[in-house]
Amino acid sequence: MKTLVIQFGTSRFLQAHADLFLSEGTPRRAITVVQTSGDATRSHRLAALAAPEGYPVRIRGLKAGNTVDETRTVTSVKRCLSAATDWPEVVRVFVEEAEFVLSNTGDAGYQSRPEDGAAAYHPAMSFPAKLFHLLAARHAAGAAPIIVMPMELVVDNGKVLRDAVMAVARLQGAGGALVSYIEDRVVWACSLVDRIVSEPIEPAGAVAEPYALWAIQKGHGVVLPCAHLAIEMVDDLKDIERLKLHVLNLGHTALVDIWQQGGGQGDPIVRDFIANPQVLDLLTAIYSDDVLPVFNHLGQGQAAEHYLAVTMERFANPFLDHRLVDIAQNHKQKVERRIGTFLDLAHAAGFTSPQGHLAAIVAREV
């Protein structure tokens, strides 16, 4: 068995996103999944992910006005390893089999750790440090460069991960040939992923909405891992990032503000909350008065209107229990990133019409 894809992370998001696409795509790809956390309590998940019969992903929601409720079986995961206990085998697969590297290591995945400076591999190292040691082993073996496709929700994630690995290389005092290999020959692809994966299925699998996107930015040496309707190669991720951040994410944060201004009572679900006519009217006004005109000014008006229609359908998903109390976590930071930066973008682009709704939300969090 040879797996051309090595994946770092076992999250339910990956199970219902990349792993599903690679199971359905052309050609179908085989994956070795590596658990980076070393959490022994999740060993049952590792075994279930690689079960010969596969694991289920249930797709539930609305698509083009129709209700979708179907189950698909993912069979792309062929081998599961732990970075804590199976490191020699992880190195072997990385050096001898892999052509693509996927990662989704969580918000703290790129943060440096004290162990990163150790000469030998240590399980407590950050993901960039682990990746440095793997790339060093691949370089030492004379293996061809590899395509790294991070899927963390970080702008320019390929470049950010490359810089983090290069920081480890400097910390390690890596030689010039290895540094050149990592910086210039390894392909660092930037990507954007989008799918709401609402709940796990035990011991492996997940429930997800119909909408899914894996956008990969064109670049030297970048190729798609497979052909699939949800995977797109794009010239520039910025337009897609802007839509996701300032339509979908902005809308979520605006709903939290509406809820808080009403007293923040109860534990509302997004679909039920927007079913309130007053809430829907206010959210509609925010989009029509403050958001869409800016996208039109930027030349993305048609794309924004289409994405908004899809977004409202996602908000109304009858199967998705998306709680406002969860969205409200780190609300102040989300207001700044999703709304404050949008106001800055509009100003920098020369948009002069008032954006009163959004400006009031920002003012409340100053």
Side-chain angles (χ1 to χ4, degrees), residues 336-360:
E336 174 54 32
R337 172 157 170 71
R338 299 172 176 184
I339 300 177
T341 59
F342 186 64
L343 295 175
D344 293 341
L345 171 68
H347 178 74
F351 184 79
T352 57
S353 298
Q355 294 171 272
H357 301 293
L358 296 181

Side-chain angles (χ1 to χ4, degrees), residues 263-279:
Q265 300 299 311
D267 186 13
I269 302 299
V270 168
R271 66 168 179 273
D272 298 330
F273 193 60
I274 64 171
N276 180 321
Q278 290 181 316
V279 171

Side-chain angles (χ1 to χ4, degrees), residues 65-297:
N66 298 313
T67 300
V68 176
D69 190 355
E70 61 189 35
T71 299
R72 302 178 189 175
T73 301
V74 177
T75 57
S76 53
V77 179
K78 304 300 183 183
R79 182 195 291 123
C80 288
L81 304 170
S82 168
T85 59
D86 304 314
W87 187 250
E89 180 65 0
V90 173
V91 174
R92 188 200 67 77
V93 173
F94 192 94
V95 171
E96 298 179 7
E97 297 184 13
E99 295 180 6
F100 297 90
V101 180
L102 307 183
S103 70
N104 188 262
T105 57
D107 293 341
Y110 291 1
Q111 294 178 5
S112 61
R113 299 177 185 173
E115 294 81 3
D116 290 357
Y121 167 76
H122 191 287
M125 286 176 165
S126 67
F127 174 63
K130 292 171 181 172
L131 187 54
F132 165 77
H133 283 276
L134 291 169
L135 290 170
R138 191 175 175 95
H139 175 258
I146 198 166
I147 300 174
V148 181
M149 291 184 163
M151 304 176 75
E152 289 83 1
L153 294 176
V154 175
V155 175
D156 291 331
N157 48 19
K159 297 176 183 177
V160 172
L161 180 56
R162 179 198 62 197
D163 291 347
V165 172
M166 289 301 299
V168 175
R170 290 190 294 271
L171 185 65
Q172 294 280 343
L178 176 56
V179 168
S180 178
Y181 175 84
I182 294 173
E183 189 166 31
D184 301 323
R185 297 187 61 202
V186 172
V187 177
W188 300 93
C190 294
S191 69
L192 180 146
V193 297
D194 190 4
R195 170 169 253 179
I196 296 172
V197 182
S198 57
E199 58 185 291
I201 296 174
E202 295 296 340
V207 179
E209 65 173 340
Y211 180 85
L213 174 66
W214 183 5
I216 301 169
Q217 187 166 291
K218 294 178 182 177
H220 179 70
V222 177
V223 296
L224 297 180
C226 69
H228 189 279
L229 289 175
I231 305 177
E232 298 180 13
M233 185 84 88
V234 300
D235 292 324
D236 192 337
L237 288 173
K238 288 184 175 56
D239 288 347
I240 299 174
E241 289 170 344
R242 188 180 289 161
L243 287 170
K244 181 184 177 187
L245 183 62
H246 300 312
V247 177
L248 175 71
N249 298 149
L250 179 149
H252 276 142
T253 296
L255 287 173
V256 169
D257 179 80
I258 295 170
W259 173 52
Q260 291 180 341
Q261 291 308 299
Q265 300 299 311
D267 186 13
I269 302 299
V270 168
R271 66 168 179 273
D272 298 330
F273 193 60
I274 64 171
N276 180 321
Q278 290 181 316
V279 171
L280 182 59
D281 286 348
L282 184 50
L283 181 63
T284 300
I286 290 171
Y287 279 130
S288 62
D289 298 345
D290 291 15
V291 176
L292 290 180
V294 176
F295 278 101
N296 189 58
H297 181 79

Side-chain angles (χ1 to χ4, degrees), residues 39-49 202-204:
D39 186 351
T41 63
R42 297 183 180 179
S43 58
H44 68 293
R45 178 187 294 179
L46 292 183
L49 284 173
E202 295 296 340

